[in-house]
Amino acid sequence: MDRKKKIYLQYGAIFIFIMVFGIINFLVKTPEVWRSSMPKYNYATIPPKDLMDLMSLNTELIIVDARATDDFKNGYIKGATNFPYINLKKMEKALKKDREKIIVIYSEDGKKSKEISDVLSNLGFSNIKNLDGGINGWIAASGEVVK
């Protein structure tokens, strides 16, 4: 066998080895991606009246104000903790131990808190609630604001 044929056979063998290894790797890893063991959760949007009811009934309720710190200082819902939306990593880390508790998230008008609720529910938080209308909806429903 001449030298060129040997080189082509070696390259062919290497190509087949890489292809077989890639297919095996794909078959092994695919179930982890497609059938993740982590359940998918959805968040619920609740009106201010329902939050008022939850606050009167539930001592395990966690309320998160996702607005900027300056907005939080101007007024917030009683019992709320401020985690600005720009600090999602810090928010997720702080709430990790309370993954199963009811967590209500609100922003100025409810739009930013919808995005945060979606992210947290995809991270495995099972009981996320988004306040409909945000703090503006809360004030319009005569909710108490602490200044």
Side-chain angles (χ1 to χ4, degrees):
M1 200 183 271
D2 68 321
R3 190 165 186 254
K4 267 187 170 180
K5 284 187 179 179
K6 277 186 176 178
I7 291 173
Y8 285 135
L9 283 174
Q10 286 175 342
Y11 282 132
I14 291 171
F15 175 77
I16 289 171
F17 175 76
I18 290 171
M19 292 300 292
V20 168
F21 182 77
I23 290 169
I24 290 170
N25 188 38
F26 175 79
L27 292 174
V28 169
K29 296 291 184 178
T30 299
E32 292 176 19
V33 174
W34 286 347
R35 294 179 215 101
S36 176
S37 61
M38 189 177 203
K40 298 288 184 211
Y41 297 108
N42 292 319
Y43 67 91
T45 299
I46 61 169
K49 175 77 173 98
D50 288 357
L51 178 56
M52 290 175 198
D53 295 341
L54 277 174
M55 289 172 72
S56 65
L57 297 174
N58 194 343
T59 57
E60 294 291 315
L61 183 65
I62 298 168
I63 303 173
V64 176
D65 186 323
R67 300 175 302 151
T69 307
D70 292 338
D71 293 331
F72 180 77
K73 288 177 183 175
N74 290 333
Y76 57 92
I77 296 173
K78 184 179 178 182
T81 306
N82 184 231
F83 287 112
Y85 62 88
I86 54 173
N87 262 336
L88 267 177
K89 214 172 210 180
K90 183 179 176 185
M91 182 187 302
E92 193 260 337
K93 194 181 248 184
L95 296 173
K96 203 170 207 164
K97 66 182 182 302
D98 299 320
R99 204 174 273 280
E100 302 300 321
K101 293 182 181 176
I102 297 174
I103 301 172
V104 179
I105 301 174
Y106 71 91
S107 58
E108 192 70 35
D109 57 3
K111 291 179 184 173
K112 195 57 86 173
S113 58
K114 280 183 185 179
E115 295 171 16
I116 294 168
S117 298
D118 194 40
V119 169
L120 290 179
S121 61
N122 285 331
L123 288 173
F125 288 85
S126 61
N127 216 344
I128 299 289
K129 311 277 187 221
N130 175 47
L131 181 62
D132 190 29
I135 195 154
N136 294 338
W138 176 258
I139 292 168
S142 302
E144 179 183 351
V145 176
V146 178
K147 292 189 180 196

